[in-house]
Amino acid sequence: MPDVWIGFNSDDRQRAWWQNGLVTLALTGTMVVMILTNEPAKWWFVSGVGVLAVVAFVGTVNLIYGRVLLTARGLEFRTFVSRRVIPWSEVAGIETRRRVIRSRILCDLRVVRVRGRALTIPGTATSRVMDAELERKQAAIQERWSRAVNG
């Protein structure tokens, strides 16, 4: 069976750029305003906002371009900041996590491991309650996992 990529499609990438780009732009704007007011006693605040803007931008890129390759031997996580392989033998389950943040429901998929903490699967975050794309991704992962474990 050929390897399968799990990640955002182009529409989801564009939507995520708009949502997360606005936050990064707001942080950058706050930092610029603080610099232009030229108050030397606030250097620590400007530095903190600058670091926060960089972390938000790296997190956005990691969220948008992170993907997982489903292979015969396991899940290969490929994100902006790391690479990791989780063998199928270490997978205890695939779960959908739902969180409520600012009156919005956010869903994503997580790999529950036999040992260690559960890992969020990149490219599966969505704010839609009934998302057919998320269900398709979960079904593909479940199918690969059951084939690898059951032979």
Side-chain angles (χ1 to χ4, degrees), residues 17-29:
W17 267 118
W18 277 106
Q19 291 171 348
N20 294 307
L22 291 175
V23 172
T24 305
L25 187 62
L27 288 172
T28 304

Side-chain angles (χ1 to χ4, degrees), residues 57-141:
F57 180 75
V58 169
T60 298
V61 172
N62 199 41
L63 170 78
I64 293 171
Y65 293 104
R67 301 186 301 169
V68 170
L69 181 62
L70 306 177
T71 65
R73 63 177 221 208
L75 298 121
E76 293 183 15
F77 285 65
R78 296 184 184 182
T79 65
F80 182 67
V81 294
S82 70
R83 303 271 191 268
R84 176 185 288 196
V85 176
I86 307 295
W88 292 117
S89 60
E90 288 186 23
V91 176
I94 307 296
E95 67 181 14
T96 302
R97 178 176 61 168
R98 287 181 171 77
R99 299 171 287 161
V100 177
I101 299 176
R102 288 181 278 152
S103 72
R104 263 179 43 185
I105 296 175
L106 299 177
C107 301
D108 56 16
L109 297 177
R110 295 173 56 90
V111 175
V112 179
R113 299 187 306 168
V114 175
R115 288 181 301 281
R117 63 183 175 87
L119 299 173
T120 302
I121 299 173
T124 62
T126 183
S127 60
R128 294 180 223 115
V129 178
M130 300 299 288
D131 191 356
E133 182 73 13
L134 182 66
E135 291 173 8
R136 184 193 63 77
K137 291 174 183 178
Q138 185 173 13
I141 296 169

Side-chain angles (χ1 to χ4, degrees), residues 32 39 49 61 94:
V32 168
E39 292 194 33
V49 170
V61 172
I94 307 296

Side-chain angles (χ1 to χ4, degrees), residues 72 87-92 142-151:
W88 292 117
S89 60
E90 288 186 23
V91 176
Q142 293 279 12
E143 178 186 354
R144 280 302 185 112
W145 177 42
S146 66
R147 283 188 183 195
V149 171
N150 297 328

